């Protein structure tokens, strides 16, 4: 999907098809998704599915969620994604069942290679496992996996995969600060 070896100062980083599809999605987001009333979760789910997102049942994506590429999105069952969340999913983003992503969180699947002379654009998948809660304004970087039951505290930064399930992480960078009680559902 990303064009490599180009000069991003004068050349596009994505194919024409990708850029046109994103422009179409941005228009649909602006005129149909974003202004939809908060309770119309089924309407927003329909729009996401039209653009290739894979969504489970009872998915609540609020109207002010900004999604870069719905076709790179896989959301499980009983998931809530609050207003102000940014899903910058240049690569695949999977969100497991019963996950909650709170307001202002930013999941960033793309960056630049700072050792490249042209700052080559790079992207890696993000995986959010079951029962994860990403609290308000947390930042999740590309290539990260959040294990089952993890909680990422407000304004924390996660730049590498977290190791322990059912653990609360906080800080910059996020470090374990507590445990959760595991449960089945």
């Amino acid at each position: 999907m990303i064009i490599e070896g180009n000069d991003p100062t004068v050349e596009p980083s994505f194919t024409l098809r990708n850029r046109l599809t994103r422009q179409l999605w941005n228009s649909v987001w602006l005129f149909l998704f974003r202004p939809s009333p908060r309770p119309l979760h089924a309407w927003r789910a329909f729009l996401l599915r039209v653009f290739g997102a894979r969504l489970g049942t009872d998915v609540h994506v609020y109207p002010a969620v900004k999604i870069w590429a719905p076709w790179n999105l896989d959301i499980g069952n009983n998931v809530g994604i609050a207003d102000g969340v940014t899903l910058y999913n240049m690569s695949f983003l999977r969100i497991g069942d019963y996950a909650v992503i709170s307001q202002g969180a930013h999941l960033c699947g793309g960056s630049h290679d700072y050792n490249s002379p042209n700052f080559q654009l790079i992207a890696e998948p993000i995986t959010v496992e079951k029962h994860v809660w990403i609290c308000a304004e947390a930042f999740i970087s590309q290539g990260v996996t959040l294990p089952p039951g993890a909680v990422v505290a407000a304004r924390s930064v996660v730049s590498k995969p977290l190791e322990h399930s059912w653990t609360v992480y906080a800080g910059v960078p996020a470090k374990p600060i507590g445990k959760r009680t595991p449960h089945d559902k």
Side-chain angles (χ1 to χ4, degrees):
M1 176 162 74
I2 296 173
I3 298 171
E4 295 188 24
N6 66 333
D7 180 355
T9 61
V10 294
E11 298 172 300
S13 295
F14 295 92
T15 64
L16 178 61
R17 177 184 171 133
N18 180 279
R19 289 179 284 142
L20 290 173
T21 305
R22 280 189 289 118
Q23 186 59 46
L24 180 59
W25 163 246
N26 287 335
S27 296
V28 167
W29 180 86
L30 182 64
F31 295 111
L32 300 174
F33 190 99
R34 176 67 182 99
S36 64
R38 287 177 58 83
L40 293 186
H41 300 294
W43 168 248
R44 289 185 294 278
F46 167 76
L47 293 173
L48 289 169
R49 286 183 179 110
V50 166
F51 279 85
R54 291 158 302 283
L55 277 65
T57 59
D58 297 316
V59 173
H60 291 178
V61 178
Y62 284 85
V65 173
K66 187 66 178 143
I67 300 165
W68 196 79
W71 49 92
N72 286 340
L73 188 59
D74 185 343
I75 301 176
N77 301 314
N78 303 97
V79 172
I81 304 175
D83 277 329
V85 168
T86 298
L87 302 179
Y88 189 54
N89 57 334
M90 295 173 68
S91 187
F92 192 68
L93 171 58
R94 184 173 68 80
I95 301 170
D97 297 344
Y98 301 99
V100 174
I101 304 176
S102 294
Q103 64 277 7
H106 190 124
L107 283 70
C108 185
S111 187
H112 295 271
D113 179 356
Y114 52 80
N115 286 317
S116 167
N118 69 346
F119 292 109
Q120 178 64 55
L121 191 61
I122 55 176
E124 293 180 63
I126 295 173
T127 302
V128 177
E129 297 288 357
K130 293 168 64 167
H131 301 286
V132 168
W133 177 21
I134 301 172
C135 298
E137 298 183 0
F139 181 87
I140 311 300
S141 188
Q142 65 175 11
V144 164
T145 296
L146 303 179
V151 172
V152 178
R155 296 202 169 179
S156 294
V157 174
V158 180
S159 57
K160 61 182 182 178
L162 300 181
E163 295 180 18
H164 307 290
S165 299
W166 300 98
T167 300
V168 179
Y169 291 84
V172 179
K175 299 203 180 304
I177 62 163
K179 297 296 283 177
R180 289 183 68 200
T181 303
H183 55 82
D184 294 327
K185 192 170 182 186

